[in-house]
Amino acid sequence: MIRLYHGSNVAIEHIDLSRSKRGKDFGQGFYLNANPVQAMEMAIRTTRFMNEGKPTLSCFEYDDTKADEMGLSVKVFPC
């Protein structure tokens, strides 16, 4: 299991890909980060851009051995 973070202007309890925006760097999707500091930086940027909410980290536990069976396309950037 890997703990991953999503930085936003609101708390995210359940991932809803229909709410994700097109035109992101790697396409429409739900972006997560293993580094909570970087995720919080994104939360701050998002809150400023949206001009509402407050910088919030949402945490998810991810079993990287099950990506294929879950139909996920995962892009990993090594440190």
Side-chain angles (χ1 to χ4, degrees), residues 1-36:
M1 292 293 251
I2 300 171
R3 180 169 289 191
L4 299 171
Y5 304 90
H6 179 81
S8 185
N9 64 323
V10 296
I12 308 291
E13 290 187 37
H14 303 284
I15 298 170
D16 181 357
L17 293 177
S18 70
R19 295 188 53 143
S20 61
K21 294 182 176 78
R22 297 178 188 273
K24 295 287 188 175
D25 290 344
F26 299 98
Q28 188 174 6
F30 191 75
Y31 289 69
L32 297 163
N33 194 323
N35 184 326

PDB file of all heavy atoms in Angstrom, residues 1-36:
ATOM      1  N   MET A   1       0.846  -1.185   0.000  1.00  0.00           N
ATOM      2  CA  MET A   1       0.000   0.000   0.000  1.00  0.00           C
ATOM      3  C   MET A   1       0.886   1.240   0.000  1.00  0.00           C
ATOM      4  O   MET A   1       1.898   1.278   0.679  1.00  0.00           O
ATOM      5  CB  MET A   1      -0.896   0.026   1.228  1.00  0.00           C
ATOM      6  CG  MET A   1      -1.958  -1.040   1.250  1.00  0.00           C
ATOM      7  SD  MET A   1      -3.168  -0.802  -0.020  1.00  0.00           S
ATOM      8  CE  MET A   1      -4.546  -0.317   0.931  1.00  0.00           C
ATOM      9  N   ILE A   2       0.439   2.218  -0.741  1.00  0.00           N
ATOM     10  CA  ILE A   2       1.137   3.492  -0.825  1.00  0.00           C
ATOM     11  C   ILE A   2       0.161   4.591  -0.412  1.00  0.00           C
ATOM     12  O   ILE A   2      -0.990   4.598  -0.850  1.00  0.00           O
ATOM     13  CB  ILE A   2       1.617   3.760  -2.262  1.00  0.00           C
ATOM     14  CG1 ILE A   2       2.565   2.666  -2.740  1.00  0.00           C
ATOM     15  CG2 ILE A   2       2.304   5.116  -2.355  1.00  0.00           C
ATOM     16  CD1 ILE A   2       2.886   2.755  -4.210  1.00  0.00           C
ATOM     17  N   ARG A   3       0.612   5.511   0.402  1.00  0.00           N
ATOM     18  CA  ARG A   3      -0.211   6.663   0.778  1.00  0.00           C
ATOM     19  C   ARG A   3       0.071   7.785  -0.217  1.00  0.00           C
ATOM     20  O   ARG A   3       1.212   8.167  -0.432  1.00  0.00           O
ATOM     21  CB  ARG A   3       0.115   7.124   2.188  1.00  0.00           C
ATOM     22  CG  ARG A   3      -0.736   8.332   2.603  1.00  0.00           C
ATOM     23  CD  ARG A   3      -0.605   8.604   4.041  1.00  0.00           C
ATOM     24  NE  ARG A   3      -1.302   7.509   4.716  1.00  0.00           N
ATOM     25  CZ  ARG A   3      -1.592   7.482   5.990  1.00  0.00           C
ATOM     26  NH1 ARG A   3      -1.208   8.456   6.770  1.00  0.00           N
ATOM     27  NH2 ARG A   3      -2.245   6.479   6.519  1.00  0.00           N
ATOM     28  N   LEU A   4      -1.002   8.283  -0.843  1.00  0.00           N
ATOM     29  CA  LEU A   4      -0.894   9.353  -1.831  1.00  0.00           C
ATOM     30  C   LEU A   4      -1.809  10.507  -1.444  1.00  0.00           C
ATOM     31  O   LEU A   4      -2.814  10.310  -0.755  1.00  0.00           O
ATOM     32  CB  LEU A   4      -1.268   8.825  -3.222  1.00  0.00           C
ATOM     33  CG  LEU A   4      -0.386   7.701  -3.757  1.00  0.00           C
ATOM     34  CD1 LEU A   4      -0.982   7.122  -5.026  1.00  0.00           C
ATOM     35  CD2 LEU A   4       1.027   8.182  -3.998  1.00  0.00           C
ATOM     36  N   TYR A   5      -1.470  11.694  -1.920  1.00  0.00           N
ATOM     37  CA  TYR A   5      -2.183  12.909  -1.529  1.00  0.00           C
ATOM     38  C   TYR A   5      -2.694  13.657  -2.751  1.00  0.00           C
ATOM     39  O   TYR A   5      -2.051  13.670  -3.797  1.00  0.00           O
ATOM     40  CB  TYR A   5      -1.242  13.824  -0.729  1.00  0.00           C
ATOM     41  CG  TYR A   5      -0.663  13.148   0.470  1.00  0.00           C
ATOM     42  CD1 TYR A   5       0.541  12.453   0.388  1.00  0.00           C
ATOM     43  CD2 TYR A   5      -1.328  13.173   1.691  1.00  0.00           C
ATOM     44  CE1 TYR A   5       1.072  11.806   1.486  1.00  0.00           C
ATOM     45  CE2 TYR A   5      -0.800  12.521   2.802  1.00  0.00           C
ATOM     46  CZ  TYR A   5       0.396  11.849   2.687  1.00  0.00           C
ATOM     47  OH  TYR A   5       0.909  11.213   3.777  1.00  0.00           O
ATOM     48  N   HIS A   6      -3.834  14.299  -2.572  1.00  0.00           N
ATOM     49  CA  HIS A   6      -4.416  15.164  -3.597  1.00  0.00           C
ATOM     50  C   HIS A   6      -4.640  16.534  -2.962  1.00  0.00           C
ATOM     51  O   HIS A   6      -5.313  16.657  -1.940  1.00  0.00           O
ATOM     52  CB  HIS A   6      -5.756  14.596  -4.077  1.00  0.00           C
ATOM     53  CG  HIS A   6      -6.425  15.436  -5.115  1.00  0.00           C
ATOM     54  ND1 HIS A   6      -6.069  15.382  -6.439  1.00  0.00           N
ATOM     55  CD2 HIS A   6      -7.411  16.356  -5.010  1.00  0.00           C
ATOM     56  CE1 HIS A   6      -6.821  16.239  -7.116  1.00  0.00           C
ATOM     57  NE2 HIS A   6      -7.639  16.841  -6.263  1.00  0.00           N
ATOM     58  N   GLY A   7      -4.049  17.557  -3.571  1.00  0.00           N
ATOM     59  CA  GLY A   7      -4.213  18.911  -3.057  1.00  0.00           C
ATOM     60  C   GLY A   7      -5.275  19.659  -3.835  1.00  0.00           C
ATOM     61  O   GLY A   7      -5.264  19.680  -5.066  1.00  0.00           O
ATOM     62  N   SER A   8      -6.219  20.262  -3.124  1.00  0.00           N
ATOM     63  CA  SER A   8      -7.326  20.973  -3.767  1.00  0.00           C
ATOM     64  C   SER A   8      -7.824  22.069  -2.829  1.00  0.00           C
ATOM     65  O   SER A   8      -7.275  22.280  -1.750  1.00  0.00           O
ATOM     66  CB  SER A   8      -8.458  19.993  -4.092  1.00  0.00           C
ATOM     67  OG  SER A   8      -9.485  20.631  -4.813  1.00  0.00           O
ATOM     68  N   ASN A   9      -8.881  22.736  -3.261  1.00  0.00           N
ATOM     69  CA  ASN A   9      -9.504  23.764  -2.422  1.00  0.00           C
ATOM     70  C   ASN A   9     -10.669  23.204  -1.605  1.00  0.00           C
ATOM     71  O   ASN A   9     -11.301  23.932  -0.857  1.00  0.00           O
ATOM     72  CB  ASN A   9      -9.972  24.946  -3.278  1.00  0.00           C
ATOM     73  CG  ASN A   9     -11.056  24.559  -4.260  1.00  0.00           C
ATOM     74  OD1 ASN A   9     -11.032  23.466  -4.825  1.00  0.00           O
ATOM     75  ND2 ASN A   9     -11.998  25.444  -4.470  1.00  0.00           N
ATOM     76  N   VAL A  10     -10.928  21.907  -1.758  1.00  0.00           N
ATOM     77  CA  VAL A  10     -11.981  21.216  -0.997  1.00  0.00           C
ATOM     78  C   VAL A  10     -11.492  19.801  -0.669  1.00  0.00           C
ATOM     79  O   VAL A  10     -10.624  19.261  -1.340  1.00  0.00           O
ATOM     80  CB  VAL A  10     -13.314  21.109  -1.791  1.00  0.00           C
ATOM     81  CG1 VAL A  10     -13.896  22.467  -2.075  1.00  0.00           C
ATOM     82  CG2 VAL A  10     -13.100  20.339  -3.088  1.00  0.00           C
ATOM     83  N   ALA A  11     -12.071  19.199   0.349  1.00  0.00           N
ATOM     84  CA  ALA A  11     -11.753  17.803   0.689  1.00  0.00           C
ATOM     85  C   ALA A  11     -12.404  16.883  -0.340  1.00  0.00           C
ATOM     86  O   ALA A  11     -13.526  17.123  -0.783  1.00  0.00           O
ATOM     87  CB  ALA A  11     -12.256  17.478   2.090  1.00  0.00           C
ATOM     88  N   ILE A  12     -11.701  15.838  -0.707  1.00  0.00           N
ATOM     89  CA  ILE A  12     -12.207  14.844  -1.650  1.00  0.00           C
ATOM     90  C   ILE A  12     -12.360  13.528  -0.888  1.00  0.00           C
ATOM     91  O   ILE A  12     -11.382  12.984  -0.389  1.00  0.00           O
ATOM     92  CB  ILE A  12     -11.232  14.634  -2.834  1.00  0.00           C
ATOM     93  CG1 ILE A  12     -10.854  15.947  -3.500  1.00  0.00           C
ATOM     94  CG2 ILE A  12     -11.792  13.611  -3.817  1.00  0.00           C
ATOM     95  CD1 ILE A  12     -11.950  16.629  -4.253  1.00  0.00           C
ATOM     96  N   GLU A  13     -13.575  13.035  -0.784  1.00  0.00           N
ATOM     97  CA  GLU A  13     -13.796  11.754  -0.103  1.00  0.00           C
ATOM     98  C   GLU A  13     -13.777  10.584  -1.078  1.00  0.00           C
ATOM     99  O   GLU A  13     -13.273   9.523  -0.760  1.00  0.00           O
ATOM    100  CB  GLU A  13     -15.117  11.789   0.655  1.00  0.00           C
ATOM    101  CG  GLU A  13     -15.077  12.708   1.861  1.00  0.00           C
ATOM    102  CD  GLU A  13     -16.337  12.594   2.694  1.00  0.00           C
ATOM    103  OE1 GLU A  13     -16.872  11.472   2.823  1.00  0.00           O
ATOM    104  OE2 GLU A  13     -16.781  13.627   3.218  1.00  0.00           O
ATOM    105  N   HIS A  14     -14.367  10.786  -2.255  1.00  0.00           N
ATOM    106  CA  HIS A  14     -14.443   9.738  -3.264  1.00  0.00           C
ATOM    107  C   HIS A  14     -14.004  10.316  -4.595  1.00  0.00           C
ATOM    108  O   HIS A  14     -14.438  11.402  -4.984  1.00  0.00           O
ATOM    109  CB  HIS A  14     -15.869   9.184  -3.378  1.00  0.00           C
ATOM    110  CG  HIS A  14     -16.398   8.650  -2.092  1.00  0.00           C
ATOM    111  ND1 HIS A  14     -16.002   7.435  -1.578  1.00  0.00           N
ATOM    112  CD2 HIS A  14     -17.267   9.167  -1.201  1.00  0.00           C
ATOM    113  CE1 HIS A  14     -16.617   7.235  -0.435  1.00  0.00           C
ATOM    114  NE2 HIS A  14     -17.386   8.278  -0.175  1.00  0.00           N
ATOM    115  N   ILE A  15     -13.171   9.573  -5.305  1.00  0.00           N
ATOM    116  CA  ILE A  15     -12.688  10.022  -6.605  1.00  0.00           C
ATOM    117  C   ILE A  15     -13.814   9.907  -7.617  1.00  0.00           C
ATOM    118  O   ILE A  15     -14.437   8.858  -7.763  1.00  0.00           O
ATOM    119  CB  ILE A  15     -11.478   9.184  -7.042  1.00  0.00           C
ATOM    120  CG1 ILE A  15     -10.335   9.378  -6.035  1.00  0.00           C
ATOM    121  CG2 ILE A  15     -11.049   9.557  -8.447  1.00  0.00           C
ATOM    122  CD1 ILE A  15      -9.180   8.427  -6.226  1.00  0.00           C
ATOM    123  N   ASP A  16     -14.080  11.013  -8.310  1.00  0.00           N
ATOM    124  CA  ASP A  16     -15.120  11.074  -9.343  1.00  0.00           C
ATOM    125  C   ASP A  16     -14.475  11.615 -10.611  1.00  0.00           C
ATOM    126  O   ASP A  16     -14.310  12.824 -10.770  1.00  0.00           O
ATOM    127  CB  ASP A  16     -16.267  11.977  -8.886  1.00  0.00           C
ATOM    128  CG  ASP A  16     -17.391  12.079  -9.895  1.00  0.00           C
ATOM    129  OD1 ASP A  16     -17.279  11.485 -10.997  1.00  0.00           O
ATOM    130  OD2 ASP A  16     -18.383  12.764  -9.597  1.00  0.00           O
ATOM    131  N   LEU A  17     -14.082  10.707 -11.518  1.00  0.00           N
ATOM    132  CA  LEU A  17     -13.374  11.123 -12.732  1.00  0.00           C
ATOM    133  C   LEU A  17     -14.216  11.999 -13.647  1.00  0.00           C
ATOM    134  O   LEU A  17     -13.672  12.740 -14.460  1.00  0.00           O
ATOM    135  CB  LEU A  17     -12.864   9.896 -13.487  1.00  0.00           C
ATOM    136  CG  LEU A  17     -11.773   9.103 -12.763  1.00  0.00           C
ATOM    137  CD1 LEU A  17     -11.393   7.871 -13.566  1.00  0.00           C
ATOM    138  CD2 LEU A  17     -10.559   9.962 -12.488  1.00  0.00           C
ATOM    139  N   SER A  18     -15.524  11.963 -13.495  1.00  0.00           N
ATOM    140  CA  SER A  18     -16.373  12.812 -14.346  1.00  0.00           C
ATOM    141  C   SER A  18     -16.191  14.292 -14.002  1.00  0.00           C
ATOM    142  O   SER A  18     -16.544  15.158 -14.785  1.00  0.00           O
ATOM    143  CB  SER A  18     -17.843  12.411 -14.213  1.00  0.00           C
ATOM    144  OG  SER A  18     -18.352  12.760 -12.936  1.00  0.00           O
ATOM    145  N   ARG A  19     -15.635  14.581 -12.830  1.00  0.00           N
ATOM    146  CA  ARG A  19     -15.404  15.973 -12.417  1.00  0.00           C
ATOM    147  C   ARG A  19     -14.021  16.486 -12.818  1.00  0.00           C
ATOM    148  O   ARG A  19     -13.720  17.654 -12.646  1.00  0.00           O
ATOM    149  CB  ARG A  19     -15.572  16.107 -10.909  1.00  0.00           C
ATOM    150  CG  ARG A  19     -16.990  15.821 -10.464  1.00  0.00           C
ATOM    151  CD  ARG A  19     -17.135  16.143  -9.030  1.00  0.00           C
ATOM    152  NE  ARG A  19     -16.665  17.512  -8.807  1.00  0.00           N
ATOM    153  CZ  ARG A  19     -17.184  18.366  -7.974  1.00  0.00           C
ATOM    154  NH1 ARG A  19     -18.191  18.000  -7.239  1.00  0.00           N
ATOM    155  NH2 ARG A  19     -16.700  19.566  -7.832  1.00  0.00           N
ATOM    156  N   SER A  20     -13.172  15.591 -13.336  1.00  0.00           N
ATOM    157  CA  SER A  20     -11.819  16.003 -13.698  1.00  0.00           C
ATOM    158  C   SER A  20     -11.844  16.814 -14.991  1.00  0.00           C
ATOM    159  O   SER A  20     -12.686  16.609 -15.861  1.00  0.00           O
ATOM    160  CB  SER A  20     -10.898  14.794 -13.815  1.00  0.00           C
ATOM    161  OG  SER A  20     -11.345  13.913 -14.805  1.00  0.00           O
ATOM    162  N   LYS A  21     -10.907  17.734 -15.069  1.00  0.00           N
ATOM    163  CA  LYS A  21     -10.861  18.658 -16.207  1.00  0.00           C
ATOM    164  C   LYS A  21      -9.997  18.096 -17.330  1.00  0.00           C
ATOM    165  O   LYS A  21      -8.996  17.434 -17.094  1.00  0.00           O
ATOM    166  CB  LYS A  21     -10.296  19.997 -15.746  1.00  0.00           C
ATOM    167  CG  LYS A  21     -11.198  20.704 -14.767  1.00  0.00           C
ATOM    168  CD  LYS A  21     -10.603  22.049 -14.382  1.00  0.00           C
ATOM    169  CE  LYS A  21     -11.519  22.810 -13.492  1.00  0.00           C
ATOM    170  NZ  LYS A  21     -11.524  22.385 -12.113  1.00  0.00           N
ATOM    171  N   ARG A  22     -10.387  18.404 -18.538  1.00  0.00           N
ATOM    172  CA  ARG A  22      -9.588  18.042 -19.712  1.00  0.00           C
ATOM    173  C   ARG A  22      -8.446  19.045 -19.841  1.00  0.00           C
ATOM    174  O   ARG A  22      -8.464  20.102 -19.247  1.00  0.00           O
ATOM    175  CB  ARG A  22     -10.452  18.090 -20.968  1.00  0.00           C
ATOM    176  CG  ARG A  22     -11.582  17.109 -20.949  1.00  0.00           C
ATOM    177  CD  ARG A  22     -12.435  17.234 -22.211  1.00  0.00           C
ATOM    178  NE  ARG A  22     -13.629  16.425 -22.102  1.00  0.00           N
ATOM    179  CZ  ARG A  22     -13.690  15.152 -22.438  1.00  0.00           C
ATOM    180  NH1 ARG A  22     -12.621  14.547 -22.898  1.00  0.00           N
ATOM    181  NH2 ARG A  22     -14.807  14.478 -22.310  1.00  0.00           N
ATOM    182  N   GLY A  23      -7.458  18.691 -20.640  1.00  0.00           N
ATOM    183  CA  GLY A  23      -6.378  19.618 -20.929  1.00  0.00           C
ATOM    184  C   GLY A  23      -5.271  19.646 -19.889  1.00  0.00           C
ATOM    185  O   GLY A  23      -4.424  20.529 -19.912  1.00  0.00           O
ATOM    186  N   LYS A  24      -5.266  18.698 -18.974  1.00  0.00           N
ATOM    187  CA  LYS A  24      -4.183  18.609 -17.995  1.00  0.00           C
ATOM    188  C   LYS A  24      -2.934  18.058 -18.696  1.00  0.00           C
ATOM    189  O   LYS A  24      -2.995  17.559 -19.814  1.00  0.00           O
ATOM    190  CB  LYS A  24      -4.574  17.694 -16.826  1.00  0.00           C
ATOM    191  CG  LYS A  24      -5.728  18.216 -16.002  1.00  0.00           C
ATOM    192  CD  LYS A  24      -5.251  19.365 -15.169  1.00  0.00           C
ATOM    193  CE  LYS A  24      -6.312  19.786 -14.181  1.00  0.00           C
ATOM    194  NZ  LYS A  24      -5.849  20.801 -13.288  1.00  0.00           N
ATOM    195  N   ASP A  25      -1.794  18.109 -18.018  1.00  0.00           N
ATOM    196  CA  ASP A  25      -0.530  17.682 -18.621  1.00  0.00           C
ATOM    197  C   ASP A  25      -0.583  16.277 -19.205  1.00  0.00           C
ATOM    198  O   ASP A  25      -0.039  16.028 -20.274  1.00  0.00           O
ATOM    199  CB  ASP A  25       0.601  17.750 -17.591  1.00  0.00           C
ATOM    200  CG  ASP A  25       0.965  19.179 -17.222  1.00  0.00           C
ATOM    201  OD1 ASP A  25       0.575  20.104 -17.950  1.00  0.00           O
ATOM    202  OD2 ASP A  25       1.638  19.361 -16.196  1.00  0.00           O
ATOM    203  N   PHE A  26      -1.217  15.355 -18.517  1.00  0.00           N
ATOM    204  CA  PHE A  26      -1.278  13.970 -18.981  1.00  0.00           C
ATOM    205  C   PHE A  26      -2.705  13.531 -19.256  1.00  0.00           C
ATOM    206  O   PHE A  26      -3.040  12.364 -19.176  1.00  0.00           O
ATOM    207  CB  PHE A  26      -0.605  13.048 -17.961  1.00  0.00           C
ATOM    208  CG  PHE A  26       0.842  13.388 -17.775  1.00  0.00           C
ATOM    209  CD1 PHE A  26       1.245  14.178 -16.706  1.00  0.00           C
ATOM    210  CD2 PHE A  26       1.783  12.969 -18.692  1.00  0.00           C
ATOM    211  CE1 PHE A  26       2.577  14.522 -16.549  1.00  0.00           C
ATOM    212  CE2 PHE A  26       3.124  13.315 -18.540  1.00  0.00           C
ATOM    213  CZ  PHE A  26       3.515  14.097 -17.472  1.00  0.00           C
ATOM    214  N   GLY A  27      -3.553  14.487 -19.562  1.00  0.00           N
ATOM    215  CA  GLY A  27      -4.937  14.189 -19.899  1.00  0.00           C
ATOM    216  C   GLY A  27      -5.856  14.242 -18.702  1.00  0.00           C
ATOM    217  O   GLY A  27      -5.458  14.531 -17.580  1.00  0.00           O
ATOM    218  N   GLN A  28      -7.114  13.969 -18.967  1.00  0.00           N
ATOM    219  CA  GLN A  28      -8.135  13.988 -17.933  1.00  0.00           C
ATOM    220  C   GLN A  28      -7.866  12.864 -16.945  1.00  0.00           C
ATOM    221  O   GLN A  28      -7.554  11.745 -17.331  1.00  0.00           O
ATOM    222  CB  GLN A  28      -9.509  13.810 -18.582  1.00  0.00           C
ATOM    223  CG  GLN A  28     -10.665  13.996 -17.639  1.00  0.00           C
ATOM    224  CD  GLN A  28     -11.996  13.953 -18.372  1.00  0.00           C
ATOM    225  OE1 GLN A  28     -12.055  13.686 -19.555  1.00  0.00           O
ATOM    226  NE2 GLN A  28     -13.054  14.209 -17.660  1.00  0.00           N
ATOM    227  N   GLY A  29      -7.938  13.158 -15.653  1.00  0.00           N
ATOM    228  CA  GLY A  29      -7.692  12.137 -14.655  1.00  0.00           C
ATOM    229  C   GLY A  29      -7.670  12.727 -13.258  1.00  0.00           C
ATOM    230  O   GLY A  29      -8.003  13.900 -13.054  1.00  0.00           O
ATOM    231  N   PHE A  30      -7.269  11.924 -12.312  1.00  0.00           N
ATOM    232  CA  PHE A  30      -7.180  12.337 -10.918  1.00  0.00           C
ATOM    233  C   PHE A  30      -5.720  12.245 -10.520  1.00  0.00           C
ATOM    234  O   PHE A  30      -5.133  11.166 -10.503  1.00  0.00           O
ATOM    235  CB  PHE A  30      -8.047  11.421 -10.039  1.00  0.00           C
ATOM    236  CG  PHE A  30      -8.216  11.919  -8.639  1.00  0.00           C
ATOM    237  CD1 PHE A  30      -9.072  12.977  -8.367  1.00  0.00           C
ATOM    238  CD2 PHE A  30      -7.524  11.336  -7.595  1.00  0.00           C
ATOM    239  CE1 PHE A  30      -9.243  13.439  -7.074  1.00  0.00           C
ATOM    240  CE2 PHE A  30      -7.679  11.783  -6.292  1.00  0.00           C
ATOM    241  CZ  PHE A  30      -8.547  12.845  -6.037  1.00  0.00           C
ATOM    242  N   TYR A  31      -5.129  13.382 -10.219  1.00  0.00           N
ATOM    243  CA  TYR A  31      -3.694  13.469  -9.979  1.00  0.00           C
ATOM    244  C   TYR A  31      -3.374  13.364  -8.486  1.00  0.00           C
ATOM    245  O   TYR A  31      -3.975  14.054  -7.667  1.00  0.00           O
ATOM    246  CB  TYR A  31      -3.163  14.794 -10.528  1.00  0.00           C
ATOM    247  CG  TYR A  31      -3.157  14.845 -12.037  1.00  0.00           C
ATOM    248  CD1 TYR A  31      -4.338  14.900 -12.764  1.00  0.00           C
ATOM    249  CD2 TYR A  31      -1.959  14.821 -12.729  1.00  0.00           C
ATOM    250  CE1 TYR A  31      -4.331  14.938 -14.148  1.00  0.00           C
ATOM    251  CE2 TYR A  31      -1.943  14.863 -14.116  1.00  0.00           C
ATOM    252  CZ  TYR A  31      -3.130  14.913 -14.818  1.00  0.00           C
ATOM    253  OH  TYR A  31      -3.117  14.949 -16.188  1.00  0.00           O
ATOM    254  N   LEU A  32      -2.420  12.494  -8.164  1.00  0.00           N
ATOM    255  CA  LEU A  32      -2.007  12.254  -6.781  1.00  0.00           C
ATOM    256  C   LEU A  32      -0.497  12.414  -6.666  1.00  0.00           C
ATOM    257  O   LEU A  32       0.234  12.290  -7.646  1.00  0.00           O
ATOM    258  CB  LEU A  32      -2.402  10.840  -6.357  1.00  0.00           C
ATOM    259  CG  LEU A  32      -3.896  10.560  -6.351  1.00  0.00           C
ATOM    260  CD1 LEU A  32      -4.159   9.063  -6.327  1.00  0.00           C
ATOM    261  CD2 LEU A  32      -4.544  11.231  -5.163  1.00  0.00           C
ATOM    262  N   ASN A  33      -0.043  12.664  -5.444  1.00  0.00           N
ATOM    263  CA  ASN A  33       1.369  12.894  -5.197  1.00  0.00           C
ATOM    264  C   ASN A  33       1.766  12.165  -3.914  1.00  0.00           C
ATOM    265  O   ASN A  33       1.042  12.220  -2.923  1.00  0.00           O
ATOM    266  CB  ASN A  33       1.603  14.402  -5.053  1.00  0.00           C
ATOM    267  CG  ASN A  33       3.064  14.779  -5.118  1.00  0.00           C
ATOM    268  OD1 ASN A  33       3.933  14.067  -4.623  1.00  0.00           O
ATOM    269  ND2 ASN A  33       3.323  15.912  -5.734  1.00  0.00           N
ATOM    270  N   ALA A  34       2.917  11.512  -3.917  1.00  0.00           N
ATOM    271  CA  ALA A  34       3.402  10.848  -2.714  1.00  0.00           C
ATOM    272  C   ALA A  34       3.995  11.842  -1.722  1.00  0.00           C
ATOM    273  O   ALA A  34       4.153  11.530  -0.550  1.00  0.00           O
ATOM    274  CB  ALA A  34       4.448   9.795  -3.084  1.00  0.00           C
ATOM    275  N   ASN A  35       4.286  13.049  -2.184  1.00  0.00           N
ATOM    276  CA  ASN A  35       4.893  14.080  -1.340  1.00  0.00           C
ATOM    277  C   ASN A  35       3.806  15.035  -0.841  1.00  0.00           C
ATOM    278  O   ASN A  35       3.264  15.820  -1.619  1.00  0.00           O
ATOM    279  CB  ASN A  35       5.947  14.830  -2.144  1.00  0.00           C
ATOM    280  CG  ASN A  35       6.693  15.851  -1.333  1.00  0.00           C
ATOM    281  OD1 ASN A  35       6.152  16.478  -0.436  1.00  0.00           O
ATOM    282  ND2 ASN A  35       7.959  16.039  -1.675  1.00  0.00           N
ATOM    283  N   PRO A  36       3.478  15.003   0.458  1.00  0.00           N
ATOM    284  CA  PRO A  36       2.402  15.867   0.964  1.00  0.00           C
ATOM    285  C   PRO A  36       2.729  17.357   0.856  1.00  0.00           C
ATOM    286  O   PRO A  36       1.818  18.172   0.695  1.00  0.00           O
ATOM    287  CB  PRO A  36       2.230  15.434   2.418  1.00  0.00           C
ATOM    288  CG  PRO A  36       3.503  14.752   2.777  1.00  0.00           C
ATOM    289  CD  PRO A  36       4.048  14.164   1.512  1.00  0.00           C
TER     290      PRO A  36
END
